[in-house]
Amino acid sequence: MTTESESAKASPFVEILETWTVCGYIHEFNVPGVHFGLRIQRGDRVDRAALRERILRGLRAQSRLFDRALDMEFSPNPDERIGQQFGELVLLFQRAVDAEVSHAKVVAGHGSGRLAVLIEKEDTETAVRAGEIVARLMNMAALGGRLEETWLNDELEGFFNYAAERILDDNARLVLDAARRQGLPALDIDQPPFDATRKGFTVRHGLVQVGMCARQQRFLSSMPQAYAARVAPWMYKREAVMRRLLAQGIPVPAQELEFPNKNRFGRVLRAARQIGFPVVLKSPESGAFRDVLPGSWVIGPIHDADELEKAFACGFGSPRSAWVESYVSGATYRFLVIESRVVSVVRRRGPRVVGDGIRTVQSLLEHECARSASFRERQAWRRVLEIRSTACRLSLAGMTLESVPDAGVPVQIDFDGCAGIGAWSDEVLDVVPAEFHRVALDAVAACGLDYAGVDMVINELGGRAVYPNAAVISVRAEPDLLIHDRPGTGPARDAAGLLVGKHFSTRRDAVVPIVAVTGTNGKTTTSRMIASLFRHAGRSTGLACSDGIYVDDRLLLSHDLAGAPGSLILHAEPGAETLVLETARGGLIKLGRPFEIADVGVCLNVAADHLGHDGIRTLDEMAAAKRCVIENTKGTAVLNAEDPRCVAMARYSPARDLILFSATPGSPRIDEQISSGGKAVHVLEHEGAEHIFYFNGARNLPVVAVSEVPATFNGRARHNVENAAAAIAAACASGLPIKEIGAGMKRFRMGFETTPSRLNELPGLPYRVIMDAAHNLHGMAALMHYLDQEAVEGRRILVFSASARFPESYVREMARLVAARFDRFICKKYREQEPYHDSEDPWLILRDELLRNHVAADAVSVVPDPKEAIAAAVDMAGPGDLVVLLVPAGNSLEPGFWQELERVTGLKAAV
């Protein structure tokens, strides 16, 4: 048999090539996930059913946490089935640590045994760690290796310990689930792409956000952060809480408040004698989020001074003080109050084990831990087993962890108020009389709150709500919702749903308007135009684009963020009232749609770019990928009337409205739209000049003269006339006034600060320099149309490149497009590093094709280094020349071009 170490040396059957986080909406997933890029070798030689059964059998033999079944249908394709089994196992590992995940799908097959598997996740690091273990398991099983018990146990324990630090807090998960059930956007913002926003809290992974931008509410575990400001610091000190309850006449246990900080046994004994035995010892500080941790640190009942000394020595004393109060007999009930209304009452039962006359208390506890049906329960039993207060309680009962209880004898392990296991509670809202409800409400009000958990000890439900039959023992500002949502017996109360509903009555209360822009070329410029129009109209606007993310004019992060990560970072910005999201092809395919529903969806064009990558081979497939923006637009779809693939998207759109746009005067498709009463933004001759009009279904409304829009360069930059028309259409769809739109378009200028690498010009030199990001045939053709209209006294010099992702035929066509238009050429690399290489050394292909198209050899230079190419062009330029620099889009993809230009010319950019 092959051992684990031998299997590790063999050629892997399943190999993880790459992983990336899907944080948007992709395929049928409306939840985050992880994409695993896999390579499968010898898949046709493996008994796939036997492989799966061997792994499942080994996992379930080790832990009941893997008993949860998944209902999956498997493909007959060998490699695809292996990918599905990989996904199933990664889900099972996550479910073993209580992650509520259920979706996995093979989303792409790239040939040569390569697969992309999309797997739902709660925590990215946990999912990736699960994938790594699953790959090792599959490799061992496929090679006939034994799933050695010791090795597998070590792997699982390592995974469980790893996940325990990262697993989503139960109350946070309840809030997320409740928000999603109510159709509200909800985010776990304790993981990428968000930076950690808090440190030092007991609940490590429990910060979630419901709603977006200016309409957001954050919850830290079960505590709404806006509500947290109302919770005074004294709420976490028993002495202060008890004084307020006493002042309001609320029944509480007998207290000794003269020396609340009892860190010496003499004071503790004095307090106990003054109160009268039996008493209970507690911490004087309840602690923020202490309610959601197992292990109560409540010790009692204590009947005499000897027991008191044992209990005090166990867990108290300097610097840890003790709180002493009278022991109230009866059951502990948790009242959950939301909006000054009792919505749930659970009777809390302390954890216990039942002796069998054979096993020790420790063995019984370990057995309960091993048979736990959930990771949360397993962790709770472990904590109860490990904390010192457990041994102290056993000591008071005359036992130790090594004691062997008689058969049938119950052993109480912790106090009734111990948190950690939902099954340790019974829902009794309808059983507890209203008199006790009023006491709980009064206790919450006495603390200045309308949302809290109240622990009350009640001896007889048929008795009166007065001491000693009833006593309020604590008021929790951030109660554990799980014991109400998932009690051991009785009906579940949707406590999290009620809490979320308190802040959001409808979806409208949770969302801000979203404009999503897609297409092959012009996305960034159009997105910036739209954002500028919103800002001009007085709306605080978040923009995610290929240059970075902005709120109004404030740059938050400089990077290519035209996709889900940038969008989600903006979702967390509390100042934004509107979002404008550039939505690029790569992000749509790999990371998902950066929104669930857009109010306005814009598709500018569909052109040949990135074909042959990410499963996209044809223009129609490219159109289908971009179409998902329009398919998920509910308000208005804005489509390019001159692009048939854009127009065809209309029939897939659920949008209530459609606006076609065009920069072509007399467009037949626009005429057809207008004649049918549809809406359009188009160009018309008006008073001797071109104007952009908005047809609202009834009449044409003039918006702005083309010559008054600086970005169009007096109409010569026709691609920017088209972009302006699209931006105007989106603004009209968003309800901005026509006059505001026109005034805003007059203010939008092309400059390095506003539209980096898009028709940027550096003036003040004896020659002209224009920098642009035209990088494909569609974009270059638009730029050439503009440059053809420019009068140039001297030579035309072009510094250009082609991406290595383009096939050689495409690169040659780019060279042919420019061959007759320039006098000198400098061929360079597109970028220093590129992920795809469909053509080798494209700068040499450009040179060769220029020469084949009758460009003189001395007119073509090859300078591969991009910055050296800029310096060579400046050195070459003379008075009256025009230097055109084609560079990657934006300053974020390949930084330094504009700065290098400034350095070699000695001038600063005019913006």
Side-chain angles (χ1 to χ4, degrees):
M1 297 291 282
T2 306
T3 66
E4 189 275 331
S5 59
E6 291 170 342
S7 298
K9 296 176 184 177
S11 176
F13 162 57
V14 174
E15 183 180 4
I16 299 174
L17 300 177
E18 59 181 338
T19 63
W20 61 90
T21 303
V22 176
C23 45
Y25 304 92
I26 191 167
H27 301 282
E28 73 273 21
F29 282 50
N30 279 335
V31 290
V34 174
H35 240 136
F36 287 86
L38 304 179
R39 178 162 53 208
I40 313 297
Q41 299 189 65
R42 305 181 310 281
D44 56 341
R45 303 182 204 169
V46 174
D47 186 335
R48 298 175 295 278
L51 174 76
R52 176 175 178 268
E53 286 308 311
R54 172 186 286 184
I55 295 173
L56 289 177
R57 188 166 57 249
L59 291 172
R60 288 166 178 166
Q62 288 292 316
S63 175
R64 288 189 61 200
L65 298 178
F66 290 93
D67 286 346
R68 305 180 190 182
L70 277 167
D71 183 19
M72 296 187 68
E73 293 184 8
F74 293 101
S75 167
N77 178 279
D79 286 353
E80 187 168 321
R81 182 160 186 174
I82 293 299
Q84 289 173 325
Q85 290 178 357
F86 176 88
E88 176 194 32
L89 291 169
V90 174
L91 288 176
L92 285 176
F93 265 80
Q94 292 183 81
R95 287 160 71 91
V97 292
D98 290 355
E100 296 184 353
V101 294
S102 56
H103 299 292
K105 182 178 181 180
V106 176
V107 294
H110 303 299
S112 302
R114 297 188 63 175
L115 295 174
V117 183
L118 178 58
I119 304 172
E120 185 182 354
K121 60 91 179 178
E122 276 191 351
D123 174 68
T124 300
E125 293 173 325
T126 301
V128 171
R129 180 70 170 262
E132 293 168 351
I133 297 174
V134 167
R136 289 198 291 271
L137 280 170
M138 296 183 79
N139 286 330
M140 287 183 64
L143 295 171
R146 298 188 307 272
L147 299 182
E148 298 172 5
E149 182 176 334
T150 301
W151 175 82
L152 185 54
N153 181 67
D154 290 345
E155 283 284 297
L156 294 182
E157 281 304 303
F159 174 72
F160 290 150
N161 292 334
Y162 185 85
E165 297 297 319
R166 294 162 176 81
I167 190 169
L168 182 62
D169 168 67
D170 288 294
N171 286 289
R173 182 187 287 116
L174 288 173
V175 170
L176 282 177
D177 290 345
R180 288 165 180 162
R181 286 197 310 272
Q182 296 175 30
L184 308 175
L187 300 170
D188 172 4
I189 56 176
D190 262 346
Q191 58 180 316
F194 311 99
D195 293 325
T197 54
R198 59 180 180 82
K199 298 291 183 184
F201 284 91
T202 303
V203 185
R204 178 197 175 275
H205 191 22
L207 184 62
V208 300
Q209 177 180 305
V210 180
M212 64 174 70
C213 302
R215 298 178 183 175
Q216 66 173 267
Q217 175 65 252
R218 290 188 178 184
F219 296 80
L220 183 56
S221 188
S222 62
M223 170 64 80
Q225 285 198 312
Y227 183 76
R230 294 175 51 190
V231 180
W234 55 259
M235 270 299 302
Y236 303 106
K237 299 183 181 296
R238 294 188 191 277
E239 178 260 340
V241 172
M242 288 302 169
R243 286 186 187 276
R244 281 165 173 78
L245 297 181
L246 279 169
Q248 296 300 315
I250 294 167
V252 296
Q255 317 285 330
E256 197 281 290
L257 299 174
E258 181 180 356
F259 298 106
N261 186 32
K262 304 174 182 70
N263 60 1
R264 296 198 301 271
F265 178 67
R267 284 185 176 178
V268 172
L269 180 60
R270 173 184 171 182
R273 286 172 172 166
Q274 181 173 329
I275 293 168
F277 289 103
V279 296
V280 174
L281 285 190
K282 302 178 178 179
S283 169
E285 297 188 5
S286 59
F289 301 100
R290 188 68 183 76
D291 195 32
V292 298
L293 295 175
S296 65
W297 273 104
V298 177
I299 301 177
I302 299 168
H303 297 91
D304 55 37
D306 289 341
E307 289 186 355
L308 184 67
E309 188 171 12
K310 283 184 183 180
F312 183 76
C314 170
F316 300 96
S318 183
R320 193 162 186 260
S321 303
W323 175 264
V324 186
E325 66 184 26
S326 63
Y327 172 74
V328 182
S329 62
T332 302
Y333 294 81
R334 165 61 61 83
F335 293 74
L336 179 62
V337 176
I338 298 179
E339 289 195 292
S340 300
R341 182 170 65 91
V342 176
V343 299
S344 174
V345 182
V346 294
R347 181 184 184 277
R348 308 189 69 174
R349 296 180 282 118
R352 67 179 189 174
V353 294
V354 179
D356 60 7
I358 300 173
R359 286 177 290 185
T360 64
V361 173
Q362 178 157 337
S363 295
L364 292 169
L365 284 169
E366 290 171 347
H367 175 70
E368 291 294 336
C369 181
R371 67 191 291 269
S372 298
S374 74
F375 186 68
R376 183 180 195 268
E377 185 176 340
R378 178 183 186 267
Q379 295 298 94
W381 279 113
R382 276 194 165 187
R383 180 173 170 83
V384 167
L385 178 63
E386 294 166 358
I387 59 176
R388 291 169 57 198
S389 61
T390 299
C392 181
R393 262 183 228 99
L394 290 172
S395 177
L396 293 178
M399 304 179 73
T400 69
L401 286 170
E402 299 306 315
S403 299
V404 179
D406 292 337
V409 174
V411 180
Q412 186 84 12
I413 301 300
D414 205 344
F415 204 71
D416 288 351
C418 176
I421 300 178
W424 291 344
S425 64
D426 306 300
E427 174 58 56
V428 291
L429 174 68
D430 300 328
V431 175
V432 177
E435 184 177 1
F436 297 98
H437 289 212
R438 285 193 292 273
V439 172
L441 292 172
D442 290 344
V444 174
C447 295
L449 306 175
D450 63 6
Y451 164 62
V454 178
D455 282 328
M456 190 185 308
V457 178
I458 303 173
N459 194 11
E460 295 288 344
L461 287 176
R464 297 193 58 202
V466 296
Y467 186 79
N469 186 57
V472 173
I473 59 173
S474 70
V475 179
R476 301 284 189 176
E478 61 288 284
D480 183 11
L481 303 180
L482 191 68
I483 59 174
H484 304 279
D485 277 76
R486 298 174 190 174
T489 63
R493 309 292 181 184
D494 185 15
L498 294 171
L499 180 62
V500 170
K502 171 184 176 181
H503 298 278
F504 303 96
S505 56
T506 66
R507 177 180 168 82
R508 187 184 297 269
D509 299 326
V511 300
V512 299
I514 291 177
V515 178
V517 181
T518 192
T520 301
N521 291 308
K523 297 185 297 296
T524 302
T525 298
T526 304
S527 297
R528 283 182 172 273
M529 284 179 173
I530 296 168
S532 177
L533 293 177
F534 280 126
R535 292 197 302 272
H536 180 77
R539 290 193 197 178
S540 181
T541 304
L543 168 67
C545 65
S546 63
D547 299 324
I549 53 176
Y550 302 78
V551 174
D552 295 330
D553 293 322
R554 177 168 55 97
L555 176 65
L556 301 184
L557 188 61
S558 178
H559 193 61
D560 181 4
L561 289 162
S567 168
L568 294 181
I569 293 170
L570 281 176
H571 276 49
E573 281 296 310
E577 300 169 327
T578 302
L579 294 183
V580 179
L581 309 177
E582 179 184 345
T583 309
R585 167 214 59 88
L588 283 171
I589 295 170
K590 286 190 173 183
L591 303 180
R593 203 169 61 251
F595 57 87
E596 184 177 7
I597 297 170
D599 297 272
V600 179
V602 183
C603 189
L604 299 172
N605 41 63
V606 180
D609 196 0
H610 297 280
L611 295 181
H613 304 295
D614 300 317
I616 304 297
R617 297 175 298 276
T618 68
L619 279 177
D620 288 338
E621 290 175 344
M622 180 68 73
K626 295 181 181 296
R627 192 179 68 212
C628 73
V629 171
I630 306 303
E631 290 172 336
N632 292 277
T633 295
K634 293 296 181 68
T636 302
V638 176
L639 302 174
N640 186 345
E642 307 309 317
D643 189 318
R645 289 185 176 85
C646 285
V647 175
M649 294 179 186
R651 65 175 177 269
Y652 297 95
S653 175
R656 295 184 299 272
D657 222 339
L658 169 68
I659 300 178
L660 296 184
F661 68 90
S662 174
T664 304
S667 164
R669 187 67 187 85
I670 290 291
D671 291 342
E672 180 183 338
Q673 176 80 347
I674 289 175
S675 64
S676 65
K679 297 180 180 179
V681 172
H682 59 126
V683 175
L684 286 176
E685 288 287 333
H686 178 66
E687 297 179 348
E690 283 189 334
H691 282 66
I692 301 176
F693 278 78
Y694 170 50
F695 184 78
N696 66 0
R699 62 194 183 97
N700 268 320
L701 305 173
V703 180
V704 64
V706 170
S707 62
E708 293 181 311
V709 179
T712 71
F713 296 92
N714 203 31
R716 298 192 307 278
R718 298 309 296 183
H719 59 293
N720 271 352
V721 178
E722 191 171 85
N723 292 337
I728 289 169
C732 290
S734 302
L736 297 188
I738 295 295
K739 287 186 177 180
E740 292 281 358
I741 297 171
M745 291 306 304
K746 294 175 183 178
R747 292 163 58 104
F748 185 84
R749 300 179 180 277
M750 305 292 286
F752 186 75
E753 291 300 319
T754 56
T755 54
S757 304
R758 293 164 182 88
L759 278 187
N760 303 150
E761 184 162 353
L762 182 63
L765 295 166
Y767 49 87
R768 294 174 62 193
V769 178
I770 293 177
M771 181 181 285
D772 195 81
H775 62 284
N776 55 41
L777 282 168
H778 183 270
M780 287 179 66
L783 177 64
M784 294 306 111
H785 183 272
Y786 167 69
L787 294 175
D788 288 346
Q789 302 171 71
E790 292 293 286
V792 179
E793 296 177 5
R795 298 170 301 170
R796 293 173 179 252
I797 302 169
L798 177 65
V799 180
F800 78 134
S801 57
S803 172
R805 70 175 182 267
F806 293 138
E808 181 176 331
S809 60
Y810 193 96
V811 175
R812 291 188 180 279
E813 192 171 349
M814 294 172 70
R816 290 195 294 273
L817 176 66
V818 300
R821 287 183 158 97
F822 292 85
D823 303 295
R824 292 296 305 270
F825 300 87
I826 298 177
C827 305
K828 66 177 182 66
K829 288 182 179 179
Y830 180 66
R831 296 176 63 181
E832 287 298 332
Q833 300 293 330
E834 290 198 71
Y836 303 109
H837 294 278
D838 285 1
S839 60
E840 293 295 329
D841 299 340
W843 54 95
L844 299 180
I845 298 173
L846 290 173
R847 178 201 62 188
D848 293 346
E849 189 62 25
L850 289 172
L851 297 178
R852 288 178 58 182
N853 282 266
H854 312 297
V855 176
D858 60 358
V860 182
S861 302
V862 175
V863 184
D865 182 271
K867 291 179 182 177
E868 290 180 6
I870 291 174
V874 169
D875 185 60
M876 180 186 299
D881 289 348
L882 170 65
V883 178
V884 178
L885 305 175
L886 300 189
V887 299
N891 190 41
S892 58
L893 293 182
E894 195 75 25
F897 286 146
W898 193 258
Q899 291 84 344
E900 178 67 9
L901 180 61
E902 290 178 336
R903 187 189 70 79
V904 297
T905 60
L907 294 178
K908 283 289 184 183
V911 298

